[in-house]
């Protein structure tokens, strides 16, 4: 996105975090592409960049996996990945290889193998995605089985690499398939899922918020905190967590590097003035993902959203124009504006851009790499924060995070989240390319899945105790309201008389889609469906409020439609069970694996 637009931040790659946190069935089949696809073949291809339980992952393994991920990305988005997208793919490639190696080792321990007939069948009938995405086997962008079968029949083609790869993949696929087949459910569970989706309740709800202001905290002693923690450990358990230290170092860019990019920008401007098509030049030259769309933003831009020196130039545009190259950070921007009807009385434009990044020279890059290598070595001895301070660099310590958390301090470096949760405490990451800067990450500490150590959650324990104290007066008020209602006072009148912050009667709802006033309180939702009509339920304490409800009506599930809906519900329930059980197994397998990540010593930014 154009950096002159105020407040703009690139968030297009957030979906990669979802990929990192999602259970993927048949991981092996998605992981590694053999030599049919190609890749960087160097003398160091067999050099290990890390190990899983002592077994190596080589440069060749990494190159092939990264190449497959890039191929899939290009097929989907019709452009090569670059910048932060590419950096995240590198971390994804490593994560896939770690997962693959752990699964294959487990399959080998359990005696899974692959016969010649199984390999032959897989090659002929179930080619992996990296094969299906090859242009030679596609028609109109879709895999064409006829082309693939024709290629298989060609005696001049060497299919041995694919056969070897399928033989290696099949044991892991068998193990995964068997694990997924253990996910089952009973007929009563299926009927329960049916009721969750179609049975509806109607209730009136009253909520009381925690009291604000000062409260008595004199009883929150260390002993009281520990006692509360011991009695409620389940509240302070969760996924594996990590904490990391991040150091960013601005890239060294020499004046001649900037001058070379400015000359390039002037050359593009000369072509535009000579009548060249802006969209085509953007596709050919722009260093921004928008180049694939001819530089077009895809939306109308208001004048107030344009900042810096560009705003005054944009204000003068009456029809359309291409502005001279403008430097912002380490990029030159060439902006094309076309005036459109004003938006709410404000000038507005259709905008497109050509972005030319100032790339450091090889000499500048080498100087940065020398400094970063020294920083990594020192970080291994004294810690990244201390090592950075010695070199005059600032370090940032993240909050504790799990795999699927949105971590503000890692928004610009999401791949560090994956690294920290796979690597051991104290491990230092490879050098990450952040376009404007280089970054290093060190795992400061880690917690395994399960109950958190008391000291690490002490603030949370205190917060929970404080919340209970703040909810005590609302609970008393709700109990008084409940007594008044039982004595004959109308629900709404009684709740408001006792200071309820909200009283509502939401539309009828199902267990699977409760209203916001009940969300986060399984007890309240259970009462909504379990109480007889007309019965009062509560008050109960949710994580953020006190809730009192009255059951008004019940809409039975359409039992006559059970047989027709059974198949879809069954499939959804089975898929949910499979994903949960497989993800839990996979998390356990990773936790039990010893992963050594030496990418920082072996691989340098290209």
């Amino acid at each position: 996105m154009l950096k002159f637009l105020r407040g703009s931040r690139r968030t297009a790659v957030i979906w990669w975090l979802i990929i990192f946190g999602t259970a993927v069935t048949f991981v092996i089949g998605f992981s590694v592409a053999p030599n049919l696809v190609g890749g960087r073949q160097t003398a160091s291809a067999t050099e290990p960049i890390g190990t899983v339980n002592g077994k190596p992952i080589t440069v060749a393994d990494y190159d092939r996996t990264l190449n497959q991920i890039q191929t899939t990305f290009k097929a989907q988005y019709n452009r090569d990945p670059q910048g932060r997208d590419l950096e995240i793919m590198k971390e994804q490639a490593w994560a896939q290889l770690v997962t693959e190696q752990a699964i294959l080792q487990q399959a080998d321990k359990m005696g899974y193998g692959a016969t010649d007939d199984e390999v032959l069948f897989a090659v002929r009938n179930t080619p992996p995605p990296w094969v299906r995405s090859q242009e030679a086997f596609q028609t109109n962008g879709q895999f064409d089985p006829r082309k693939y079968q024709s290629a298989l029949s060609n005696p001049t083609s060497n299919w041995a690499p694919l056969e070897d790869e399928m033989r290696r993949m099949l044991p892991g696929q068998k193990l995964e398939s068997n694990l997924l087949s253990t996910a089952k459910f009973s007929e009563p569970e299926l009927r329960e899922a049916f009721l969750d989706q179609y049975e509806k309740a109607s209730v009136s709800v009253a909520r009381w918020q925690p009291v604000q202001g000062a409260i008595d905290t004199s009883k929150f002693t260390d002993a009281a905190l520990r006692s509360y923690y011991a009695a409620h450990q389940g509240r302070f358990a969760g996924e594996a967590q990590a904490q990391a230290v991040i150091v960013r170092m601005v890239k060294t860019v020499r004046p001649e590097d900037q001058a070379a990019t400015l000359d390039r920008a002037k050359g593009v401007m000369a072509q535009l003035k000579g009548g060249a098509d802006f969209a085509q030049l953007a596709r050919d030259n722009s260093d921004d993902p928008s180049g694939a769309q001819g530089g077009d933003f895809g939306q109308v831009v208001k004048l107030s959203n344009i900042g810096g020196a560009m705003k005054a130039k944009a204000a003068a545009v009456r029809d359309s124009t291409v502005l001279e190259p403008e430097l912002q950070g380490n990029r030159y921007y060439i902006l094309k504006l076309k005036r459109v009807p004003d938006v709410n009385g404000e000038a507005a434009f259709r905008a497109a851009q050509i972005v030319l990044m100032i790339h450091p020279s090889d000499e500048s890059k080498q100087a940065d790499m020398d400094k970063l290598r020294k920083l990594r070595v020192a970080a291994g001895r004294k810690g990244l924060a201390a090592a950075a301070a010695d070199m005059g660099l600032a370090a940032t310590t993240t909050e504790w995070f799990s795999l699927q958390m949105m971590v503000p301090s890692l928004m610009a470096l999401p791949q560090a989240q994956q690294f920290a949760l796979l690597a051991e405490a104290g491990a230092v990451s490879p050098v990450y390319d952040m376009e404007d800067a280089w970054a290093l990450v060190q795992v400061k500490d880690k917690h395994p899945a399960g109950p958190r150590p008391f000291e690490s959650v002490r603030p949370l324990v205190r917060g929970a105790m404080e919340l209970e104290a703040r909810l005590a007066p609302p609970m008393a008020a709700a109990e008084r309201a409940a007594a008044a209602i039982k004595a004959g006072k109308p629900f709404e009148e009684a709740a408001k008389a006792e200071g309820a912050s909200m009283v509502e009667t939401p539309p009828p709802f199902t267990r699977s889609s409760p209203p916001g006033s009940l969300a986060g309180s399984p007890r309240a939702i259970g009462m909504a469906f379990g109480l007889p009509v007309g019965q009062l339920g509560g008050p109960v304490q949710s994580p953020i409020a006190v809730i009192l409800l009255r059951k008004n009506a019940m809409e039975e599930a359409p039992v006559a439609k059970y047989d027709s809906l059974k198949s879809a519900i069954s499939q959804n329930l089975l898929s949910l069970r499979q994903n949960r059980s497989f993800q839990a197994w996979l998390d356990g397998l990773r936790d039990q694996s010893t992963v050594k990540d030496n990418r920082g010593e072996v691989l340098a930014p290209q």
Side-chain angles (χ1 to χ4, degrees):
M1 195 64 179
L2 181 68
K3 289 197 175 180
F4 290 104
L5 295 184
R6 292 177 178 159
S8 66
R9 303 179 72 92
R10 291 185 60 204
T11 58
V13 296
I14 296 301
W15 58 276
W16 285 108
L17 297 179
I18 299 173
I19 292 176
F20 287 153
T22 303
V24 181
T25 303
F26 298 109
V27 177
I28 303 298
F30 286 77
S31 296
V32 181
N35 295 332
L36 292 173
V37 179
R40 182 179 60 190
Q41 298 296 323
T42 67
S44 61
T46 58
E47 185 174 359
I49 60 172
T51 61
V52 179
N53 300 322
K55 293 195 175 182
I57 294 174
T58 68
V59 171
D61 296 331
Y62 179 80
D63 280 347
R64 288 193 296 266
T65 305
L66 179 59
N67 185 75
Q68 186 272 324
I69 295 172
Q70 291 174 289
T71 299
T72 301
F73 180 94
K74 185 173 182 179
Q76 184 172 359
Y77 295 100
N78 196 33
R79 65 177 176 87
D80 289 319
Q82 54 186 312
R84 190 166 60 158
D85 288 345
L86 180 56
E87 289 298 304
I88 292 172
M89 288 178 191
K90 293 176 182 178
E91 203 61 47
Q92 188 193 10
W94 171 251
Q96 283 191 192
L97 284 166
V98 169
T99 302
E100 173 194 286
Q101 186 65 261
I103 292 176
L104 288 175
Q105 290 177 24
Q106 187 66 19
D108 183 61
K109 287 180 183 178
M110 297 177 70
Y112 287 93
T115 66
D116 290 343
D117 287 343
E118 289 172 333
V119 171
L120 182 60
F121 181 87
V123 169
R124 287 178 174 173
N125 299 285
T126 58
W130 55 262
V131 171
R132 298 168 67 92
S133 64
Q134 297 299 304
E135 187 175 348
F137 306 142
Q138 293 193 336
T139 300
N140 297 325
Q142 301 294 320
F143 176 66
D144 190 333
R146 291 174 299 179
K147 288 184 176 180
Y148 177 65
Q149 294 298 328
S150 176
L152 286 176
S153 302
N154 186 346
T156 63
S157 297
N158 177 22
W159 292 96
L162 178 58
E163 293 174 5
D164 292 342
E165 198 61 31
M166 296 302 285
R167 187 180 301 279
R168 195 175 69 88
M169 289 159 47
L170 280 171
Q173 289 185 350
K174 287 182 179 181
L175 172 57
E176 292 180 35
S177 180
N178 285 346
L179 285 169
L180 294 175
S181 69
T182 63
K184 302 182 187 305
F185 53 86
S186 64
E187 181 68 20
E189 288 176 309
L190 183 59
R191 287 186 175 275
E192 184 177 336
F194 170 72
L195 294 178
D196 286 348
Q197 292 187 44
Y198 292 99
E199 191 175 46
K200 293 184 178 181
S202 177
V203 301
S204 293
V205 183
R207 288 169 63 96
W208 283 260
Q209 300 300 113
V211 297
Q212 302 301 311
I215 61 172
D216 180 12
T217 60
S218 61
K219 296 181 179 180
F220 293 178
T221 63
D222 181 73
L225 291 173
R226 291 180 182 276
S227 177
Y228 186 92
Y229 168 79
H232 303 89
Q233 276 199 32
R235 295 189 189 180
F236 307 105
E239 300 175 292
Q241 285 189 319
Q243 190 178 31
V245 176
I246 304 172
V247 171
R248 296 174 176 84
M249 188 179 82
V250 176
K251 290 182 178 180
T252 300
V253 177
R254 301 182 304 175
E256 49 266 44
D257 301 333
Q258 180 175 325
T261 307
L262 178 58
D263 287 342
R264 183 182 169 207
K266 290 178 178 178
V268 172
M269 279 299 298
Q271 294 182 67
L272 290 169
K273 291 176 180 178
D277 179 63
F278 188 97
Q280 188 59 50
L281 285 177
R283 283 188 282 269
D284 293 341
N285 296 277
S286 185
D287 293 323
D288 188 83
S290 61
Q293 289 76 47
D296 185 44
F297 286 178
Q299 61 184 8
V300 172
V301 177
K302 295 191 294 185
L303 182 63
S304 60
N305 289 332
I306 301 177
M310 302 291 278
K311 184 170 185 178
K313 298 177 182 178
V317 175
R318 293 293 173 264
D319 183 19
S320 65
T321 191
V322 177
L323 303 180
E324 291 292 329
E326 189 81 24
L327 178 65
Q328 177 76 10
N330 69 340
R331 297 168 178 79
Y332 277 99
Y333 289 83
I334 300 174
L335 187 63
K336 179 181 179 180
L337 297 175
K338 179 176 177 59
R339 188 73 176 261
V340 297
D342 293 356
V343 176
N344 297 326
E346 183 180 347
F349 310 89
R350 290 291 300 186
Q353 64 180 355
I354 297 175
V355 183
L356 304 177
M357 185 179 296
I358 301 172
H359 296 285
S361 64
D362 291 340
E363 292 80 3
S364 298
K365 187 175 179 179
Q366 186 58 52
D368 284 349
M369 289 301 107
D370 289 343
K371 188 174 182 179
L372 288 164
R373 275 191 286 270
K374 293 177 182 177
L375 178 59
R376 291 189 85 260
V377 172
R381 294 197 311 266
K382 62 178 66 176
L384 184 58
D390 291 345
M391 299 178 70
L393 299 172
T396 302
T397 301
T398 71
E399 61 268 46
W400 284 94
F401 56 84
S402 57
L403 187 62
Q404 298 189 57
M405 283 179 60
M406 189 61 67
V407 188
S409 57
L410 294 178
M411 286 291 289
L413 195 64
Q415 61 269 43
Q417 192 164 352
Q418 178 75 23
F419 164 78
L421 287 160
L422 280 178
E424 297 179 324
V428 183
S429 74
V431 175
Y432 292 125
D433 188 344
M434 298 182 67
E435 298 184 355
D436 296 338
W438 307 108
L440 278 177
V441 177
Q442 184 173 41
V443 184
K444 183 177 181 181
D445 200 1
K446 297 187 74 171
H447 292 324
R452 306 285 185 241
F454 171 74
E455 289 300 334
S456 71
V457 295
R458 177 188 286 267
L460 297 179
V461 174
R462 183 182 177 88
M465 292 179 67
E466 179 177 325
L467 178 60
E468 286 197 3
R470 292 185 180 279
L471 286 173
M475 178 63 76
E479 288 172 346
R480 291 193 298 270
I485 295 167
K486 290 175 181 178
K489 199 170 187 177
F491 183 90
E492 183 175 353
E493 181 181 340
K496 289 185 176 180
E498 291 296 339
S501 58
M502 185 217 50
V503 182
E504 71 165 8
T505 300
F509 57 89
T510 64
R511 289 180 182 87
S512 57
S513 299
S517 54
L518 297 183
S521 179
R523 287 183 63 194
I525 296 170
M527 288 190 305
F529 286 88
L531 288 172
V533 173
Q535 185 74 35
L536 196 66
V540 297
Q541 180 179 311
S542 81
I544 57 173
V546 172
I547 299 174
L548 181 68
L549 62 83
R550 182 188 64 206
K551 179 76 165 284
N552 296 330
M554 188 74 175
E555 183 180 328
E556 299 296 332
V559 178
K561 294 183 178 180
Y562 175 70
D563 288 337
S564 63
L565 297 170
K566 183 176 179 178
S567 177
I569 297 172
S570 175
Q571 185 59 47
N572 290 337
L573 183 58
L574 179 61
S575 178
L576 181 63
R577 291 279 175 91
Q578 287 178 331
N579 282 335
R580 284 178 176 173
S581 61
F582 180 72
Q583 186 64 63
W585 175 82
L586 198 58
D587 290 343
L589 188 63
R590 287 176 181 145
D591 290 343
Q592 295 164 15
S593 298
T594 301
V595 179
K596 298 291 185 183
D597 185 349
N598 300 322
R599 287 176 294 160
E601 288 80 28
V602 179
L603 301 177
Q606 298 298 308

